[in-house]
């Protein structure tokens, strides 16, 4: 287990579609170590999620976790989740604007339209099937991380007029984001 450097915007690996893994690859010590490294790196960076391309590995693995006491208490808790070869399907056409940032795009935030409800189908770290429906801010977190596996960054989807540094986001946009999240 190790904390790895986080790949930053501009690195080609962040713009590639990551390849799917087989069950045999997933069971390998190397891939299991990668999953541990993703978790350690996410925790070290205090992120809500991290995808393998963000540590330079172009494979379809993402980890997500939001503690019950996150830095932004309006976010619902998400237990530690490992998604391998995930597929997302929107449940309907409802969307909402989600305030996002990214460990690979430091100190930048913006509003991204996200599906309000999605079905997530994937494997867990042991190859067991995951099939669940996630909603709201949790659904947005899943969509953000799975976008990384498709070579998409939040800045590609964000309304460019909403992009702001973290300081300016907290000063001008955070109160409205918290109010919307609580509603």
């Amino acid at each position: 287990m190790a904390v790895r450097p986080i790949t930053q915007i501009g690195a080609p690996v962040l713009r590639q579609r990551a390849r799917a893994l087989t069950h045999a690859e997933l069971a390998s010590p190397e891939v299991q170590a990668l999953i541990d490294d993703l978790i350690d790196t996410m925790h070290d960076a205090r992120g809500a999620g991290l995808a393998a391309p963000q540590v330079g590995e172009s494979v379809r693995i993402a980890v997500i976790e939001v503690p019950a006491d996150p830095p932004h208490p309006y976010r619902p808790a998400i237990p530690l989740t490992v998604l391998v070869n995930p597929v997302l399907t929107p449940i309907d056409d409802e969307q909402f604007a989600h305030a996002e940032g990214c460990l690979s795009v430091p100190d930048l935030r913006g509003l991204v339209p996200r599906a309000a409800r999605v079905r997530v189908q994937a494997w867990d770290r042991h190859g067991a099937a995951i099939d669940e429906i996630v909603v709201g801010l949790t659904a947005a977190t899943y969509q953000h991380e799975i976008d990384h596996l498709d070579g998409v960054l939040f800045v590609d989807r964000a309304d460019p007029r909403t992009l702001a540094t973290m300081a300016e986001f907290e000063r001008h946009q955070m109160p409205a984001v918290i109010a919307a999240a609580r509603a």
Side-chain angles (χ1 to χ4, degrees):
M1 298 187 306
V3 172
R4 295 193 186 191
I6 296 174
T7 306
Q8 300 296 293
I9 188 170
V13 70
L14 293 175
R15 296 308 193 164
Q16 299 168 355
R17 180 172 171 78
R19 73 173 182 81
L21 293 166
T22 66
H23 275 101
E25 289 174 309
L26 176 58
S28 73
E30 295 80 15
V31 172
Q32 290 298 309
L34 169 61
I35 292 170
D36 290 336
D37 290 353
L38 283 167
I39 294 166
D40 288 346
T41 304
M42 175 183 65
H43 288 161
D44 182 70
R46 299 188 56 157
L50 194 68
Q54 291 181 274
V55 296
E57 301 287 342
S58 191
V59 293
R60 296 188 73 76
I61 301 173
V63 298
I64 297 170
E65 183 178 31
V66 176
D69 185 21
H72 303 295
Y74 62 88
R75 295 182 59 90
I78 302 172
L80 178 60
T81 304
V82 176
L83 300 171
V84 180
N85 299 337
V87 175
L88 289 185
T89 308
I91 299 298
D92 54 36
D93 293 333
E94 184 181 353
Q95 292 193 334
F96 69 103
H98 182 246
E100 296 189 18
C102 181
L103 297 172
S104 291
V105 187
D107 197 38
L108 194 63
R109 299 290 181 271
L111 294 179
V112 178
R114 293 292 187 188
R117 288 175 289 285
V118 296
R119 179 179 183 190
V120 181
Q121 296 171 290
W123 298 335
D124 69 12
R125 75 176 300 160
H126 305 293
I130 295 171
D131 190 343
E132 62 183 87
I133 293 175
V134 293
V135 300
L137 297 177
T138 300
T141 301
Y142 277 59
Q143 291 168 77
H144 176 104
E145 295 310 325
I146 292 170
D147 270 354
H148 278 296
L149 304 179
D150 294 327
V152 177
L153 298 174
F154 89 94
V155 294
D156 302 330
R157 297 190 187 278
D159 176 345
R161 296 168 298 177
T162 67
L163 293 174
T165 64
M166 189 60 184
E168 293 301 315
F169 173 79
E170 287 178 349
R171 181 177 301 137
H172 301 291
Q173 298 175 24
M174 184 66 86
V177 167
I178 292 172
R182 288 188 173 142

